[in-house]
């Protein structure tokens, strides 16, 4: 199901402010920056309703714009630049969440905030989570954890589940895959476990990139140290996002990479299971 563009009069940050002179337009831009600082507005890419994806039950998944990682296999490269999103008031998003409360209650679902990287907009993220919690809606954050150090405990108090993307267990492979360092993700996972926050770990299996036995073993060994991990999802690489890279005019370095075979996928899942981890 493709993401659905939100409605409710969102404003593109870089769009001209019609009907205003230069001073008024500048004031409007400052107002948007203030909204980002307070979390009353933020950059939204899209949203969708999904079942048995992005957390338990039927989920409303909200994709925020902006991400510090540059994953070679990213299937949403159009979410990487924050200003490319749609500037949206937090109340517009929460009004949509409110509309689906009955569905969430009936299916054990809720709100999942993804991206991009949702922690790139911490104030907006915090307001969304708090608003959902006040409605009694289950909350999930899908994150790499790379920006976890900037997230206050008060925000994590409103998170019921974290989908933690552990993209590699070896620092050099992580750097090749994402352009960033591995350590912040590992530290954030330990912080979540110490708090007692439930974690689902996600690992994308890319032949020739993340599939080496020693890399998988490093991920599995780390995950096994986190007592609040309730499941591991091994996600086979696919080419579904390739057209987005082409449309954006970006070089896609995995064009010749095939999805993993069923045998390879099962070998990797078995590596996680060998550590006593419930793995899918």
């Amino acid at each position: 199901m493709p993401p659905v563009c939100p409605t409710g009069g969102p404003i593109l940050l870089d769009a001209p402010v019609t009907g205003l002179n230069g001073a008024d337009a500048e004031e409007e831009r400052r107002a948007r920056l203030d909204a980002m600082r307070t979390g009353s507005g933020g950059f939204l890419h899209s949203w969708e309703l999904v079942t048995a994806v992005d957390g338990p039950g039927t989920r409303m998944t909200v994709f925020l714009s902006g991400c510090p990682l540059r994953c070679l296999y990213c299937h949403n490269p159009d979410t990487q630049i924050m200003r490319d999103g749609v500037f949206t008031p937090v109340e517009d998003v929460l009004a949509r969440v409110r509309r689906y409360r009955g569905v969430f209650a009936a299916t054990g679902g809720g709100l999942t905030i993804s991206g991009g990287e949702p922690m790139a907009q911490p104030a907006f993220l915090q307001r969304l989570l708090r608003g959902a919690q006040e409605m009694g809606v289950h909350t999930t954050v899908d994150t790499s954890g790379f920006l976890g150090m900037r997230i206050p405990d008060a925000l994590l108090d409103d998170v019921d589940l974290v989908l933690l993307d552990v993209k590699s267990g070896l620092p050099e492979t992580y750097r090749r895959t994402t352009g960033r360092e591995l350590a912040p993700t590992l530290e954030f996972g330990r912080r979540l476990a110490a708090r007692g926050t439930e974690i689902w770990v996600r690992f994308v299996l890319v032949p020739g990139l993340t599939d080496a036995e020693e890399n998988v073993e490093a991920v599995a060994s780390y995950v096994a140290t986190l007592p609040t991990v309730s499941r591991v999802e091994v996600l086979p690489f696919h080419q579904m996002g390739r057209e987005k890279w082409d449309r954006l005019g970006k070089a896609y370095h995995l064009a010749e990479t095939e999805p993993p075979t069923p045998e390879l996928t099962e070998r990797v899942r078995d590596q996680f299971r060998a550590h006593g981890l419930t793995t899918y």
Side-chain angles (χ1 to χ4, degrees):
M1 178 177 178
V4 181
C5 188
T7 59
I11 303 169
L12 290 175
L13 183 67
D14 294 334
V17 182
T18 58
L20 298 177
N21 61 33
D24 289 340
E26 180 60 28
E27 183 177 349
E28 178 67 15
R29 282 189 287 270
R30 284 200 300 268
R32 294 173 192 172
L33 290 173
D34 287 341
M36 288 193 66
R37 282 191 287 268
T38 64
S40 62
F43 288 97
L44 183 69
H45 175 268
S46 55
W47 68 277
E48 64 182 1
L49 280 180
V50 293
T51 300
V53 179
D54 298 333
T58 298
R59 317 292 301 180
M60 176 179 165
T61 301
V62 174
F63 298 89
L64 304 189
S65 293
C67 183
L69 273 57
R70 293 295 180 265
C71 299
L72 295 179
Y73 54 72
C74 180
H75 63 278
N76 286 320
D78 47 342
T79 67
Q80 292 178 352
I81 307 301
M82 190 179 300
R83 65 176 178 271
D84 289 344
V86 178
F87 194 77
T88 308
V90 67
E91 288 304 326
D92 286 9
V93 183
L94 292 176
R96 191 173 295 277
V97 174
R98 192 173 294 110
R99 185 182 308 173
Y100 292 104
R101 281 184 301 174
V103 175
F104 301 150
T107 64
L111 172 67
T112 296
I113 305 177
S114 185
E117 170 52 66
M119 292 183 181
Q121 300 187 62
F124 190 46
L125 173 62
Q126 188 164 7
R127 291 280 292 271
L128 289 172
L129 293 169
R130 181 87 293 269
Q133 288 282 344
E134 288 173 351
M135 296 181 219
V137 172
H138 181 277
T139 57
T140 297
V141 174
D142 181 7
T143 178
S144 72
F146 181 76
L147 297 176
M149 67 181 68
R150 68 190 291 185
I151 299 304
D153 286 343
L155 185 154
L156 295 178
D157 288 342
D158 286 329
V159 180
D160 294 311
L161 171 67
V162 171
L163 308 180
L164 184 62
D165 300 316
V166 183
K167 301 170 189 294
S168 167
L170 300 177
E172 58 271 26
T173 302
Y174 194 92
R175 193 177 306 111
R176 178 186 170 200
T177 301
T178 70
R180 295 289 189 171
E181 301 302 314
L182 171 61
T185 292
L186 303 184
E187 180 56 35
F188 185 64
R190 288 189 283 265
R191 179 183 174 193
L192 292 173
R195 290 176 51 85
T197 304
E198 184 181 7
I199 304 169
W200 291 7
V201 167
R202 288 175 157 181
F203 173 73
V204 180
L205 173 59
V206 186
L209 182 63
T210 66
D211 62 333
E213 288 192 29
E214 59 270 26
N215 185 55
V216 176
E217 185 61 27
V219 178
S221 297
Y222 163 72
V223 173
T225 69
L226 306 178
T228 61
V229 171
S230 57
R231 66 189 282 169
V232 175
E233 296 179 343
V234 175
L235 307 178
F237 167 78
H238 58 70
Q239 292 282 0
M240 292 172 60
R242 181 177 177 180
E243 289 186 3
K244 293 183 180 180
W245 287 79
D246 294 339
R247 192 162 59 246
L248 293 169
K250 294 185 175 184
Y252 184 60
H253 299 288
L254 299 180
E256 304 303 318
T257 302
E258 296 291 332
T261 64
E263 292 77 16
L264 174 57
T265 302
E266 196 60 22
R267 187 218 85 197
V268 170
R269 287 175 175 152
D270 283 343
Q271 283 188 258
F272 284 96
R273 291 171 181 143
H275 289 266
L277 297 163
T278 300
T279 306
Y280 298 89

